[in-house]
Amino acid sequence: GRLDAGHPSVSWADALDWLGTVRAGAPIAEIQFWGHGRWGEVRIGGEVLDSSALDASHPLFPLLHRIRARLVPGQDALWWFRTCDTFGTAKGQDFARAWTRFFGCRAAGHTHRIGVWQSGLHTLLPGAEPAWSTSEGLTPSGTPAPSRAGLPNTVSFLQGRIPGDL
């Protein structure tokens, strides 16, 4: 079906441990994280997950490594951050590069504040460079811009798949 499994988490350790063990032995084709974000990071409560977790010395690294081993081979896997701003600014682009290279999969994220409308959706493949501007999703004063219908790369929160041209 459209949703194979879901898990409400109160910490990154809980979320990543669940991802690494649910339906043990079955490959993972897609992960969607619905939560909070900021440029180059995603959050559960006040706990931040950013590219520093991809370093072997980070406490979450073993959990991320276990998930990486379960992803379908090649670039067919997808990790979609359905969070505000995660791929916005240079910090968000750096996060997207690091994430795709570590996991060897395509990643998707947004450059705007999201809600019903989720604007600024972009995907990145491992080894590719972001094609979107570092100022996308920002107001002229440099604050985060809200999503709305009609903005580039906007999907509804009800849309479960990334459009083919992204």
Side-chain angles (χ1 to χ4, degrees), residues 100-147:
T100 58
R101 290 175 182 160
F102 176 81
F103 284 100
C105 73
R106 182 170 66 138
H110 300 271
T111 57
H112 286 69
R113 290 285 163 104
I114 65 171
V116 171
W117 298 109
Q118 300 180 353
S119 300
L121 173 59
H122 294 281
T123 64
L124 190 68
L125 290 169
E129 288 298 315
W132 60 95
S133 168
T134 57
S135 63
E136 183 178 312
L138 298 176
T139 66
S141 65
T143 61
S147 292

Side-chain angles (χ1 to χ4, degrees), residues 23 28 109:
R23 297 185 182 175
I28 299 172

Side-chain angles (χ1 to χ4, degrees), residues 4-161:
D4 296 324
H7 181 72
S9 295
V10 296
S11 72
W12 278 111
D14 174 59
L16 298 173
D17 183 58
W18 179 82
L19 272 172
T21 58
V22 66
R23 297 185 182 175
I28 299 172
E30 182 173 331
I31 297 166
Q32 288 190 25
F33 173 71
W34 290 72
H36 298 286
R38 191 71 169 148
W39 303 310
E41 61 187 47
V42 288
R43 299 175 182 189
I44 294 178
E47 194 176 335
V48 172
L49 177 70
D50 60 17
S51 57
S52 70
L54 305 176
D55 183 274
S57 65
H58 195 282
L60 296 175
F61 179 84
L63 300 172
L64 293 168
H65 188 268
R66 184 175 3 157
I67 295 165
R68 180 174 68 179
R70 293 196 54 203
L71 293 175
V72 295
Q75 298 175 1
D76 293 329
L78 170 67
W79 196 308
W80 187 354
F81 296 99
R82 296 191 81 156
T83 56
C84 296
D85 307 322
T86 298
F87 277 16
T89 74
K91 190 174 176 184
Q93 288 188 355
D94 290 344
F95 174 81
R97 277 188 210 94
W99 204 262
T100 58
R101 290 175 182 160
F102 176 81
F103 284 100
C105 73
R106 182 170 66 138
H110 300 271
T111 57
H112 286 69
R113 290 285 163 104
I114 65 171
V116 171
W117 298 109
Q118 300 180 353
S119 300
L121 173 59
H122 294 281
T123 64
L124 190 68
L125 290 169
E129 288 298 315
W132 60 95
S133 168
T134 57
S135 63
E136 183 178 312
L138 298 176
T139 66
S141 65
T143 61
S147 292
R148 61 179 166 74
L151 287 175
N153 302 348
T154 298
V155 296
S156 160
F157 78 100
L158 294 172
Q159 194 161 344
R161 298 269 177 240

